[in-house]
Amino acid sequence: MPNIKELNLSNNKIAGFGQLNELKSLHSLVLNGNRIKEINNLNLPVLTNLSLDRNFISKLTGLRGLKKLEDLSLEGNLITVASMQDLGYNLVSLKELSLGSNKITAV
């Protein structure tokens, strides 16, 4: 599966990213409605779309290896602080960030 470009694994019981870093051709990854608690150093060099809605993520970390990311959706998680420092300043391609339905108290 190294040439796969789009992957949707929504509404499963996935708790981590496992071997997803091996999918170097991946452009779109959708993991909505799973059991993910944290983003652990994703390194997907051509990923442009990442959707992690309705998981259990509380911090905006682990995104530094996503330099081409344009669209990031983390709606319906447990995020309380949304800061560019947490996101990583290297997300220079980011055009859309969706953080609706979280518990954000500071930006």
Side-chain angles (χ1 to χ4, degrees):
M1 293 190 341
N3 294 321
I4 194 162
K5 295 193 185 308
E6 295 183 16
L7 182 60
N8 186 330
L9 292 168
S10 294
N11 302 312
N12 284 288
K13 297 178 181 179
I14 297 169
F17 297 98
Q19 298 176 339
L20 288 175
N21 280 333
E22 295 176 16
L23 301 175
K24 298 298 183 191
S25 298
L26 202 59
H27 287 266
S28 177
L29 178 59
V30 180
L31 292 166
N32 298 337
N34 279 286
R35 297 179 179 174
I36 298 168
K37 292 182 181 178
E38 62 184 348
I39 304 168
N40 289 326
N41 299 316
L42 273 177
N43 186 12
L44 297 166
V46 297
L47 192 74
T48 58
N49 178 14
L50 177 61
S51 185
L52 296 165
D53 297 345
R54 298 179 321 278
N55 278 283
F56 300 94
I57 298 167
S58 60
K59 294 182 181 177
L60 295 174
T61 58
L63 298 164
R64 295 184 189 272
L66 304 176
K67 297 184 189 315
K68 302 262 183 181
L69 193 65
E70 295 178 1
D71 184 4
L72 175 61
S73 184
L74 291 158
E75 295 188 9
N77 278 283
L78 304 173
I79 298 166
T80 56
V81 177
S83 76
M84 285 307 295
Q85 184 175 5
D86 287 343
L87 275 173
Y89 293 105
N90 64 332
L91 294 180
V92 295
S93 298
L94 194 65
K95 295 178 180 158
E96 186 170 340
L97 175 62
S98 299
L99 295 171
S101 299
N102 274 282
K103 300 176 183 291
I104 296 173
T105 57
V107 180

